[in-house]
């Protein structure tokens, strides 16, 4: 019996199990969908898949460095309680080691990696079944630096936020300080040249609207008003731009001045925070329990 892509797709949609698991289940059961579903349930895979539509917005991020390569990733759970569980922490470490010792650079590639006879996708499904919550790998990023450049890695609250910086010259202290700064201030841009026109236009519009409502500026000449607007825009952008921000360890100087003191520059940075961009579902725990018990 030839297992087709359409058959695998149908089984995945009905069970939520991984592609490789669905293919194997169909092969083991001569293409019979219903028997394949039972097969997955017997293996505990379908049980894990039932949780696939839940929102996993908690968890931890991590950053690992190996030579000139570094990886950052986010492993999600449904609750913060599970993210503190030793089983989850061990899984986070295991997946981190698998990624950093591979060439994978995105989530899809990592899920297909094989370790100890199973893919990372299968590992996650197994963890979901064992832990009892949906466990998912959401984001994976690989950063490669040149010889002579430096890496700075920093994790906040065990991985609620992970940051990686790349500096022009190798200097562990400077790179780590910059990573801490990025963690705290979350800059949107590295320097002024990185600021996109859409952001400039939006902020300029807001500033002009605010100025139009300021009676004290009504009699000012247009040239003066433009100067005031430019000054306000520069001040606003200072909050967004890394090198213009007050340095976390010494607010009296800017990040650019700190870098100048150490004769170094920042090349790039990555910041991952758990759950950013995920719409969390707020639930009434008491109502949920009553509903499950059919209490009205």
């Amino acid at each position: 019996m030839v297992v087709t892509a359409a058959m695998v797709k149908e089984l995945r949609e009905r069970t939520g199990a991984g592609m490789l698991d669905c293919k194997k289940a169909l092969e083991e059961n001569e293409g019979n969908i219903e028997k394949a579903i039972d097969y997955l349930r017997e293996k505990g895979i379908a049980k894990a898949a039932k949780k696939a539509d839940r929102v996993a917005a908690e968890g931890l991020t991590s950053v690992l460095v190996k030579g000139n390569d570094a990886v950052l990733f986010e492993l999600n759970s449904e609750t913060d309680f599970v993210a503190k569980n030793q089983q989850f922490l061990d899984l986070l470490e295991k997946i981190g080691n698998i990624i950093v010792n591979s060439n994978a650079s995105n989530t899809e590639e990592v899920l297909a990696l094989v370790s100890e006879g199973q893919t990372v996708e299968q590992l996650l499904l197994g963890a979901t079944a064992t832990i009892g919550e949906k466990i998912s790998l959401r984001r994976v990023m690989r950063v490669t630096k040149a010889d002579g450049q430096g890496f700075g890695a920093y994790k906040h609250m065990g991985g609620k936020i992970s940051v990686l910086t790349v500096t022009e010259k190798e200097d562990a202290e400077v790179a780590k300080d910059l990573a801490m700064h990025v963690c705290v201030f979350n800059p949107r841009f590295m320097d002024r040249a990185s600021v996109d026109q859409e952001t400039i236009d939006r902020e300029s519009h807001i500033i002009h609207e605010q100025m139009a409502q300021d009676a004290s500026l009504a009699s000012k000449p247009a040239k003066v008003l433009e100067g005031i607007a430019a000054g306000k825009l520069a001040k606003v952008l200072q909050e967004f731009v890394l090198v213009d921000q007050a340095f976390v360890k010494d607010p009296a100087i800017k990040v650019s001045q700190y870098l100048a003191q150490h004769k170094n520059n920042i090349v790039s940075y990555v910041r991952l925070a758990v759950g950013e961009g995920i719409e969390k579902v707020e639930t009434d725990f008491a109502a949920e329990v009553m509903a499950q018990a059919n209490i009205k």
Side-chain angles (χ1 to χ4, degrees):
M1 175 70 188
V2 177
V3 174
T4 66
M7 294 165 63
V8 174
K9 181 175 182 292
E10 181 183 347
L11 186 57
R12 286 196 72 180
E13 289 174 350
R14 291 183 62 178
T15 65
M19 180 178 67
L20 295 177
D21 287 315
C22 288
K23 186 173 184 293
K24 183 178 180 181
L26 287 164
E27 290 172 344
E28 291 287 330
N29 293 279
E30 300 179 342
N32 187 303
I33 295 286
E34 298 304 323
K35 288 183 178 180
I37 291 173
D38 290 342
Y39 174 90
L40 291 172
R41 288 180 63 191
E42 290 165 7
K43 298 293 183 181
I45 296 171
K47 176 185 176 183
K50 290 179 181 178
K51 306 176 191 298
D53 59 347
R54 296 187 186 176
V55 177
E58 299 296 338
L60 291 171
T61 64
S62 190
V63 53
L64 293 88
V65 174
K66 182 180 181 182
N68 281 354
D69 281 337
V71 294
L72 299 95
F73 67 98
E74 178 181 0
L75 187 67
N76 295 116
S77 59
E78 294 178 49
T79 65
D80 186 53
F81 177 78
V82 162
K84 297 174 181 176
N85 184 289
Q86 189 59 50
Q87 193 172 0
F88 183 89
L89 296 175
D90 291 344
L91 180 64
L92 182 80
E93 182 180 4
K94 183 173 184 175
I95 290 178
N97 287 327
I98 292 172
I99 299 172
V100 80
N101 287 302
S102 74
N103 293 318
S105 59
N106 58 53
T107 307
E108 290 72 24
E109 290 176 357
V110 171
L111 290 174
L113 292 174
V114 177
S115 175
E116 298 176 0
Q118 62 179 340
T119 64
V120 170
E121 185 175 24
Q122 291 170 325
L123 182 64
L124 292 173
L125 284 168
T128 296
T130 303
I131 294 173
E133 281 193 10
K134 179 182 178 182
I135 307 298
S136 59
L137 181 66
R138 180 171 172 237
R139 294 182 289 177
V140 176
M141 300 184 71
R142 178 176 293 274
V143 179
T144 302
K145 72 173 183 65
D147 291 336
Q149 292 181 334
F151 272 145
Y154 177 72
K155 291 204 294 186
H156 179 63
M157 293 179 64
K160 286 297 181 183
I161 301 173
S162 289
V163 179
L164 179 79
T165 57
V166 180
T167 52
E168 191 174 82
K169 298 177 183 177
E170 205 162 356
D171 188 321
E173 183 178 355
V174 170
K176 179 73 174 289
D177 282 350
L178 288 173
M180 290 175 62
H181 177 96
V182 170
C183 175
V184 174
F185 289 101
N186 191 18
R188 289 169 54 188
F189 307 99
M190 191 168 71
D191 51 33
R192 291 291 178 97
S194 305
V195 182
D196 60 274
Q197 191 60 45
E198 183 181 352
T199 297
I200 293 173
D201 292 342
R202 183 172 62 251
E203 296 302 328
S204 294
H205 176 74
I206 292 170
I207 288 168
H208 281 95
E209 288 295 314
Q210 292 172 339
M211 289 174 62
Q213 298 173 42
D214 188 341
S216 67
L217 299 176
S219 60
K220 300 285 186 183
K223 189 173 182 179
V224 173
L225 290 174
E226 285 305 312
I228 294 173
K232 287 180 176 292
L233 178 62
K235 189 173 182 180
V236 169
L237 293 181
Q238 183 175 318
E239 298 175 12
F240 300 159
V241 176
L242 171 60
V243 295
D244 289 342
Q245 292 176 334
F247 181 49
V248 66
K249 284 190 171 182
D250 184 1
I253 62 172
K254 294 181 178 181
V255 171
S256 58
Q257 292 171 303
Y258 170 76
L259 286 166
Q261 289 175 1
H262 292 271
K263 296 181 174 57
N264 211 333
N265 281 305
I266 183 162
V267 175
S268 64
Y269 68 89
V270 179
R271 181 184 189 273
L272 292 187
V274 168
E276 57 191 350
I278 300 177
E279 185 176 346
K280 299 184 182 182
V281 178
E282 299 296 332
T283 59
D284 183 330
F285 181 70
E288 187 176 282
V289 172
M290 290 173 68
Q292 289 181 9
N294 292 319
I295 300 173
K296 297 183 180 179

